[in-house]
Amino acid sequence: MFIGKYYPVKLHYVTPFFRNCICQFLLTTLVTMFLDFTVTVALYGCALASLTTGYPHTVTRVGDDVIITMNPANVSFPYDVLVNDSVAVRLLLVLPKSHRVVVLNSSHTGYTTRMRYTGEDSLSQTGQLRFTIYNVTVQDAGTYYCQGSNNQTVTGCRQVLVVAQEPTTPTITGPVSPVSGENVTLTCSSSSRSLPPDHPPLTMTYIWRRDRTLLESGDESPTGGDDLTITHISRENHGDIYSCQAVEEGLESDWSHGHVLDVLYGPDQIQFDGTSDKLEVEEGKPVTLRCSADCNPACTVT
């Protein structure tokens, strides 16, 4: 018999992820109380985890049609399919015993006319739950999961739908006034705007151009990376304007502002009369010499 104090606990509605986490923590605490030690780390580690971490995900675009496929455990109780962005919305009612699936009325997102259950037979035959959302909107992004009427968890029934968006306009960081002969690295930075905000990592690539000419692989450095390295920069690069663009799931951002290179270089040679480094004069006659040199910043000739 367990002898100890009784602690009443009231749980308010939270998302299934956090509810499971909290219940698991409470169960751990009750057991460990009996064993006369406590574990306090579990709640914090669980609560900080992302809702989308470690779950299958599907990426789509606004206006596309997308098929959501999940593999729920074989259960006998009825359960709902919900999507949880900021507020959980019931989409489907699954009745395993009668092999029926009902599309529920969610008029504010138009699911009644935009969703169709496409796996009625497969639920009993293959264990898959499959439905199609037509004409995807940004409001469709989120975590789709299954839950019984008494908050029972249905394992294997969770899918994250990522609605791809154009990345933010990139910014370029790197030296503005490099010295001739140096290697210069410019870095292009952008952020994902795909939804939900805590979506699983997506691949973002970058396109570079110089003076509005795209840089192909082998020019300065290969395209696709966020870094662009210019080796042995020279006076010929003075005034070059570099810009970049971010691409995620085929969607392109706006081009960044131009990064202008103000290359610093000294005089390679001095020119007389602006023509050459040699001057022919006639003996005994006066001559006027004009010296010039190309350098940045401007040279002082003495």
Side-chain angles (χ1 to χ4, degrees), residues 17-18 45-55 143 158 160 196-200:
F17 177 87
F18 288 105
C46 182
L48 290 175
S50 168
L51 287 172
T52 65
T53 301
Y55 293 111
T143 301
R158 184 176 290 265
V160 180
D198 62 342
H199 62 74

Side-chain angles (χ1 to χ4, degrees), residues 263-275:
V263 181
L264 306 181
Y265 56 90
D268 291 336
Q269 61 183 6
I270 296 177
Q271 293 184 334
F272 294 101
D273 290 337
T275 56

Side-chain angles (χ1 to χ4, degrees), residues 12-300:
H12 297 281
Y13 179 80
V14 292
T15 61
F17 177 87
F18 288 105
R19 182 186 302 109
N20 295 341
C21 172
I22 294 171
C23 291
Q24 182 180 7
F25 170 74
L26 292 177
L27 177 61
T28 305
T29 303
L30 290 175
V31 173
T32 54
M33 284 170 57
F34 179 75
L35 297 175
D36 199 26
F37 68 91
T38 57
V39 177
T40 59
V41 183
L43 177 62
Y44 297 100
C46 182
L48 290 175
S50 168
L51 287 172
T52 65
T53 301
Y55 293 111
H57 68 277
T58 301
V59 181
T60 187
R61 297 185 186 181
V62 171
D64 288 352
D65 302 336
V66 64
I67 297 176
I68 303 294
T69 302
M70 296 184 285
N71 297 280
N74 187 14
V75 297
S76 59
F77 56 83
Y79 58 88
D80 293 328
V81 178
L82 305 94
V83 58
N84 187 18
D85 184 11
S86 56
V87 179
V89 177
R90 299 172 66 225
L91 307 177
L92 301 173
L93 172 61
V94 181
L95 304 170
K97 289 185 177 181
S98 59
H99 304 297
R100 291 180 57 219
V101 177
V102 180
V103 178
L104 302 176
N105 182 21
S106 301
S107 58
H108 71 287
T109 52
Y111 280 129
T112 304
T113 57
R114 291 195 304 111
M115 177 179 291
R116 185 166 68 91
Y117 177 63
T118 52
E120 187 169 354
D121 295 329
S122 66
L123 184 61
S124 59
Q125 295 176 3
T126 67
Q128 284 190 338
L129 178 65
R130 187 173 66 252
F131 55 92
T132 303
I133 301 176
Y134 298 93
N135 193 21
V136 167
T137 70
V138 292
Q139 285 77 23
D140 297 328
T143 301
Y144 291 73
Y145 61 96
C146 300
Q147 180 176 283
S149 57
N150 293 323
N151 297 332
Q152 302 105 313
T153 299
V154 181
T155 58
C157 194
R158 184 176 290 265
Q159 180 82 232
V160 180
L161 180 60
V162 180
V163 179
Q165 301 283 283
E166 295 178 358
T168 60
T169 301
T171 57
I172 296 179
T173 56
V176 176
S177 300
V179 177
S180 178
E182 293 181 342
N183 294 336
V184 174
T185 298
L186 305 179
T187 301
C188 184
S189 302
S190 177
S191 299
S192 175
R193 292 196 299 188
S194 298
L195 299 172
D198 62 342
H199 62 74
L202 303 176
T203 300
M204 186 177 296
T205 58
Y206 296 88
I207 300 173
W208 288 88
R209 66 183 182 183
R210 180 183 65 241
D211 297 334
R212 297 187 175 276
T213 299
L214 293 178
L215 297 178
E216 302 296 335
S217 180
D219 294 342
E220 276 84 3
S221 71
T223 59
D226 55 349
D227 286 345
L228 177 74
T229 300
I230 310 167
T231 58
H232 303 296
I233 200 165
S234 67
R235 67 177 64 198
E236 282 73 25
N237 298 115
H238 179 68
D240 284 352
I241 303 175
Y242 288 85
S243 55
C244 66
Q245 184 183 58
V247 182
E248 184 180 74
E249 295 298 325
L251 296 177
E252 300 174 343
S253 71
D254 293 334
W255 284 95
S256 69
H257 291 298
H259 186 91
V260 183
L261 292 183
D262 180 27
V263 181
L264 306 181
Y265 56 90
D268 291 336
Q269 61 183 6
I270 296 177
Q271 293 184 334
F272 294 101
D273 290 337
T275 56
S276 69
D277 57 354
K278 296 181 180 180
L279 182 65
E280 293 183 1
V281 297
E282 187 174 343
E283 184 177 359
K285 291 187 178 181
V287 62
T288 301
L289 297 179
R290 293 183 178 87
C291 297
S292 63
D294 180 23
C295 48
N296 183 45
C299 304
T300 300

